[in-house]
């Protein structure tokens, strides 16, 4: 009886280890897929392709850019990106530094750093850098789409303009 108990315990331990290894391999596969997807998204924004850039968002997405109201419709998200990407001198890129996948495998967050150049009111290029967090949700068709996107600068806030 004791031998049978040890054999069953050993089988259970081996089965448990196999399941954990499989789950870890699946998480690693999802993590790499999201890193690749985020890199493609950054490339689309870098190419100033507004439609491709917006295609990474789910229908119910919310985008929270710095110093602006949240965009909660596909059209307001498109408008925000169009303004960012079509401004003369605009350039943007970002790089994933961390991906965390929920145990269920249907949600994940991606965080990283970005660099952006824009032109100020006087026509002078202004460089910005900061960090971001994106929440991805696996869609019914198996694709991953962003449901929440927020970023903010690492640079100090600029002083308000003096009133005359």
């Amino acid at each position: 009886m004791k031998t049978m108990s040890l054999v069953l315990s050993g089988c259970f331990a081996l089965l448990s280890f196999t399941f954990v290894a499989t789950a870890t391999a699946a998480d690693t596969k999802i993590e790499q897929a999201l890193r690749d997807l985020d890199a493609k998204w950054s490339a689309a924004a870098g190419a100033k392709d507004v439609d491709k850039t917006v295609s990474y968002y789910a229908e119910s997405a919310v985008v929270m850019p710095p110093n602006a109201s949240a965009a909660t419709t596909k059209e307001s998200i498109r408008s925000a990106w169009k303004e960012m990407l079509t401004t003369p001198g605009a350039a943007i890129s970002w790089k994933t530094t961390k991906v965390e996948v929920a145990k269920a495998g249907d949600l994940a967050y991606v965080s990283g750093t970005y660099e952006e150049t824009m032109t100020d009111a006087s026509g002078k290029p202004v460089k910005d850098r900061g960090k971001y967090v994106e929440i991805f949700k696996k869609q019914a068709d198996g694709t991953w789409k962003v449901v929440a996107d927020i970023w903010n600068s690492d640079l100090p806030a600029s002083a308000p303009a003096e009133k005359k």
Side-chain angles (χ1 to χ4, degrees):
M1 190 65 149
K2 198 172 195 178
T3 304
M4 179 66 116
S5 177
L6 284 173
V7 169
L8 286 176
S9 294
C11 287
F12 180 73
L14 183 58
L15 186 61
S16 296
F17 176 74
T18 301
F19 179 74
V20 169
T22 302
T24 303
D27 288 351
T28 301
K29 188 175 178 181
I30 293 169
E31 177 184 336
Q32 188 58 55
L34 290 171
R35 284 179 183 278
D36 294 345
L37 188 63
D38 207 41
K40 289 176 186 174
W41 186 17
S42 176
K48 300 183 180 186
D49 186 336
V50 175
D51 292 332
K52 183 71 173 173
T53 301
V54 173
S55 75
Y56 287 85
Y57 291 104
E59 286 299 319
S60 61
V62 59
V63 177
M64 296 173 273
N67 309 314
S69 298
T72 58
T73 65
K74 224 23 170 178
E75 191 49 45
S76 64
I77 292 169
R78 186 180 195 295
S79 179
W81 274 104
K82 184 176 180 182
E83 183 179 335
M84 281 188 290
L85 297 179
T86 61
T87 301
I92 188 167
S93 66
W94 59 90
K95 184 167 177 49
T96 302
T97 56
K98 185 174 184 177
V99 176
E100 287 286 330
V101 180
K103 286 183 183 181
D106 59 346
L107 279 175
Y109 80 83
V110 173
S111 61
T113 58
Y114 73 86
E115 291 185 5
E116 180 180 21
T117 301
M118 57 203 126
T119 305
D120 68 11
S122 69
K124 179 181 149 194
V126 177
K127 293 188 181 263
D128 184 25
R129 67 182 186 286
K131 62 268 182 207
Y132 67 90
V133 174
E134 305 154 347
I135 307 296
F136 280 83
K137 184 175 183 183
K138 192 171 191 178
Q139 305 298 293
D141 66 359
T143 62
W144 287 88
K145 296 282 186 172
V146 175
V147 294
D149 184 13
I150 187 169
W151 65 96
N152 54 65
S153 179
D154 287 343
L155 303 179
S158 56
E162 288 185 33
K163 294 182 181 180
K164 291 185 177 187

